[in-house]
Amino acid sequence: MAGEHRLRRVLGPVALTAMGVGAIIGAGIFALVGEAAHHTAGPALMLSFVVAGVACVFAALCYAEFASMAPVAGSAYTYAYMTLGELFAWIIGWDLVLEYAVGAATVAHSWSGYLRDLLKDHVQLPKLIAEAPIKFDHGHYVWTGSLFDGMALAVVAVVTTVLVLGIRESARFNATMVVVKVSIVLFAIVVGAYWIQPENWHPFAPYGYAGLNFFGHIVGEVGDKGKPVGMLAGASIIFFAYIGFDAISTQAEEARNPKRDLPIGIIASLLICTVLYVVMAGVLTGMVRYTEINVDAPVSAAFGRIGLKWAQSLIAVGAVAGMTSVLLVMMLSQPRVLLAMARDGLLPPGFFAAIHPRLQTPWKSTILTGIIVGGLGSLLPIDILSELVNIGTLLAFAIVCAAVLVMRKTAPDAERPFRAPLVPLVPILGIFFCLTLMLSLPSVNWLRLAGWLAIGLVIYFCYGRSHSRLGKQLRHEIATHGVSPAGMPIDEP
């Protein structure tokens, strides 16, 4: 029985680091950087990436400790189950579903836009499948004349097929995409540095440094739409770009030596990408004044402005490759979170924990993930998709940091092949930075998060609680002995 739900251990530290880089470098560096610089942070976006990177370093150290202790699929869900109990585990697992599925849909939407821009002089798609059917225009949602975004749907279908075929094939495909896009990023940095005009960096922080939103009461800088702006608000917007290291931990069960390889992959990919992000933000805002940065395709458009059309096309190709690997890693991670939840009985195991006997991949949940991501990415506008992701990601990171504090108290002698340094300082700082960035987001994000979690709690109390393996074990002990044993361990599936 156990063999039906086990994954193949084939990933080493290089492959895991490549997966992290694959997930991190993508929509953030090719798309969100334009929105954040133009409307929220200006040249201070360089500091925004530093702040977001620092927050991720603290969270990554906590992730690495748990990943080395519990090398099984599930990421933050598994860590919460180990330390905070089943209800918190369900909440964080449901939160990860939001993070990966909607995040992947956002990337698919952006991927389609870049490819259309790349092919616009050569190929014209039929209007009915050219783009999402609705978009936000001048304060209203309007119909675009399309039925769905055919490009977004097609790329999701291809990625889903690759993921069903196997983890080794997925890792090879991702590694190829990572080489392409990192080369393009380095090219853009080196060539773009020649065209930097230092006066474009002045004023450095035109929107200020901080605007905090205390549930509708904004303290600090406010934009023309009533939303927080400034360097911290910029960090909260581009935080979406950093969730790649979280995706690495979901591949714990497929790592050859997870106690060593997972911490290496998590921390190495985060450090590499933070440096690239900061430098790219500096080059972009130095090449083009922040008020003139193209929001939809900021990096390639910057080279078009200086007359390097060949470079513009080359960077567009890199953006397509970059977003493809982000999409792959996100859609790789989603079924593994569902797998972990199904193993614990919180979701139907016959479907979500089903491993293909030959391919050894969670094929049913992978196909379901592809259907959901394809539907969202091809039908909804990017602003609705992107705003759902960041606050959920920050909440997940804060809970992992809190779980490290709890675990150090409840199981101080547990084997920790990798130990987060300076505990309790590191997890406390992780919680602080994540909550600060959450408070830099508009109020509507909190409302959407609350609505999503409410739906998840309904599913938990209607299905998960009564089918939980731990719950069944506890009910058996109560029926047999009349009491629930204190500190009952959670047996590994």
Side-chain angles (χ1 to χ4, degrees):
M1 182 69 176
E4 297 178 8
H5 303 317
R6 288 297 172 193
L7 304 173
R8 189 191 310 172
R9 293 195 180 277
V10 297
L11 302 179
V14 175
L16 289 168
T17 301
M19 282 195 170
V21 174
I24 297 171
I25 294 183
I29 204 165
F30 291 115
L32 294 180
V33 65
E35 171 71 22
H38 191 119
H39 297 298
T40 308
L45 185 65
M46 288 182 275
L47 286 184
S48 299
F49 277 115
V50 173
V51 171
V54 168
C56 285
V57 165
F58 294 131
L61 291 171
C62 296
Y63 261 92
E65 176 168 314
F66 273 127
S68 69
M69 294 173 65
V72 295
S75 181
Y77 162 77
T78 299
Y79 312 152
Y81 213 142
M82 290 170 53
T83 56
L84 302 176
E86 185 175 273
L87 180 58
F88 273 100
W90 170 265
I91 291 173
I92 197 65
W94 188 243
D95 187 46
L96 288 173
V97 171
L98 172 70
E99 174 184 328
Y100 287 125
V102 181
T106 305
V107 174
H109 191 106
S110 298
W111 185 96
S112 174
Y114 257 95
L115 188 62
R116 287 197 306 271
D117 184 64
L118 183 64
L119 300 177
K120 64 184 178 182
D121 296 329
H122 309 284
V123 178
Q124 291 293 330
L125 288 177
K127 181 63 176 177
L128 289 178
I129 60 170
E131 56 184 323
I134 58 174
K135 68 177 181 180
F136 193 74
D137 186 31
H138 295 93
H140 302 281
Y141 286 103
V142 297
W143 184 46
T144 62
S146 294
L147 296 179
F148 60 90
D149 187 334
M151 290 286 198
L153 198 59
V155 71
V156 171
V158 171
V159 170
T160 301
T161 302
V162 171
L163 292 175
V164 169
L165 290 177
I167 182 66
R168 192 189 304 273
E169 292 73 14
S170 302
R172 289 171 179 169
F173 177 81
N174 176 72
T176 302
M177 293 296 99
V178 168
V179 170
V180 171
K181 69 179 177 181
V182 170
S183 299
I184 294 297
V185 169
L186 292 175
F187 165 82
I189 289 173
V190 172
V191 176
Y194 178 80
W195 297 90
I196 288 177
Q197 301 179 44
E199 59 269 23
N200 287 334
W201 289 331
H202 301 285
F204 181 72
Y207 300 104
Y209 288 91
L212 299 179
N213 180 11
F214 291 96
F215 306 100
H217 180 67
I218 299 179
V219 177
E221 303 293 335
V222 182
D224 54 6
K225 296 182 180 179
K227 297 180 179 180
V229 295
M231 184 271 294
L232 281 180
S236 67
I237 290 174
I238 53 86
F239 199 85
F240 170 83
Y242 277 100
I243 66 177
F245 80 83
D246 169 84
I248 294 175
S249 64
T250 67
Q251 274 78 65
E253 200 168 311
E254 290 144 297
R256 287 198 297 264
N257 185 357
K259 293 181 179 181
R260 182 202 65 180
D261 296 347
L262 285 173
I264 291 175
I266 289 171
I267 296 173
S269 62
L270 179 61
L271 293 178
I272 291 169
C273 295
T274 298
V275 171
L276 291 176
Y277 270 144
V278 172
V279 176
M280 178 59 88
V283 170
L284 178 63
T285 54
M287 290 177 65
V288 183
R289 188 160 183 80
Y290 72 95
T291 55
E292 300 174 1
I293 290 177
N294 184 293
V295 172
D296 296 320
V299 182
S300 60
F303 282 82
R305 284 176 59 89
I306 60 176
L308 299 180
K309 297 295 184 181
W310 61 271
Q312 182 178 11
S313 299
L314 184 64
I315 291 170
V317 171
V320 170
M323 293 185 192
T324 301
S325 61
V326 173
L327 186 62
L328 184 143
V329 176
M330 285 186 170
M331 291 181 63
L332 178 72
S333 304
Q334 175 72 92
R336 283 144 182 84
V337 174
L338 298 173
L339 170 65
M341 297 172 74
R343 283 174 173 171
D344 294 327
L346 300 181
L347 291 172
F351 184 91
F352 292 101
I355 303 297
H356 194 281
R358 181 173 63 86
L359 300 174
Q360 292 185 275
T361 56
W363 65 286
K364 291 182 180 179
S365 55
T366 298
I367 292 173
L368 176 63
T369 296
I371 292 171
I372 294 173
V373 171
L376 293 174
S378 63
L379 296 175
L380 296 180
I382 193 170
D383 59 306
I384 290 179
L385 293 170
S386 61
E387 289 179 357
L388 284 170
V389 181
N390 281 352
I391 196 165
T393 305
L394 288 162
L395 176 62
F397 290 178
I399 291 178
V400 170
C401 292
V404 165
L405 291 174
V406 173
M407 196 68 168
R408 287 291 184 96
K409 290 292 185 181
T410 58
D413 299 324
E415 181 184 1
R416 291 174 171 84
F418 176 85
R419 296 177 65 91
L422 301 176
V423 175
L425 180 61
V426 164
I428 289 175
L429 287 174
I431 295 170
F432 170 78
F433 272 92
C434 288
L435 290 179
T436 299
L437 293 181
M438 290 173 75
L439 291 173
S440 298
L441 290 165
S443 301
V444 67
N445 290 277
W446 288 88
L447 296 176
R448 289 170 178 166
L449 178 64
W452 177 255
L453 293 179
I455 295 172
L457 289 175
V458 170
I459 296 174
Y460 172 74
F461 285 109
C462 290
Y463 178 89
R465 190 180 184 189
S466 59
H467 292 80
S468 162
R469 294 178 69 242
L470 178 61
K472 290 179 180 178
Q473 191 174 355
L474 288 171
R475 288 190 290 273
H476 173 73
E477 291 293 334
I478 292 172
T480 304
H481 304 292
V483 294
S484 173
M488 175 179 289
I490 301 174
D491 62 328
E492 184 179 345

